[in-house]
Amino acid sequence: MDKKLISGLKQEDFITTINGKQTNLYTLTNESGMEVSITNYGGALVAIMVPDKDGNMQDVIIGYSNINDYATKPSDFGASVGRYANRIKDGKITIDEVEYDLPKNNFGHCLHSGCTI
């Protein structure tokens, strides 16, 4: 990242290897100066900077400022919906006559693809 992010995040704080996979921080901006930062570790949104009513840029989501916190502190900060949305009853699904047990993370059911990040 050559330019300073409005959020104050530093890309180098998101670069590491977790479970053999490289993590990073990606930032999108638009012509209005809005900024969205996302990590490829679980697709977590880290910061969304938008102007308030007075034009001052504010972060409108809760997120950590480094990858270590995402990897070690259980939370749903910035979590995006997984491979599917909603619940799969009893955490079981059958595909081509093969039954699969899914993570039961919502009162015995599988919600939004299972465990977070």
Side-chain angles (χ1 to χ4, degrees):
M1 249 178 238
D2 295 322
K3 74 175 207 167
K4 183 172 168 94
L5 297 178
I6 299 168
S7 64
L9 295 170
K10 297 176 185 167
Q11 184 179 22
E12 59 265 22
D13 293 337
F14 287 85
I15 297 174
T16 193
T17 302
I18 299 176
N19 298 326
K21 296 183 180 178
Q22 182 72 39
T23 64
N24 210 329
L25 182 72
Y26 301 91
T27 300
L28 306 170
T29 58
N30 70 11
E31 294 172 356
S32 300
M34 293 174 54
E35 182 181 276
V36 176
S37 295
I38 186 170
T39 177
N40 61 337
Y41 183 69
L45 288 165
V46 179
I48 300 177
M49 304 299 295
V50 296
D52 65 14
K53 65 182 179 112
D54 298 319
N56 299 311
M57 298 302 278
Q58 298 291 321
D59 192 355
V60 294
I61 64 170
I62 298 173
Y64 295 121
S65 61
N66 64 78
I67 195 65
N68 186 56
D69 286 344
Y70 282 97
T72 61
K73 296 179 181 178
S75 77
D76 292 329
F77 288 171
S80 55
V81 174
R83 295 170 294 279
Y84 53 82
N86 215 333
R87 290 162 187 80
I88 293 183
K89 185 178 180 347
D90 300 324
K92 295 184 183 292
I93 189 168
T94 302
I95 301 172
D96 294 330
E97 300 180 23
V98 177
E99 185 176 270
Y100 296 92
D101 287 312
L102 305 171
K104 295 175 181 82
N105 63 328
N106 185 258
F107 306 103
H109 307 289
C110 183
L111 176 65
H112 303 313
S113 303
C115 303
T116 60
I117 306 176

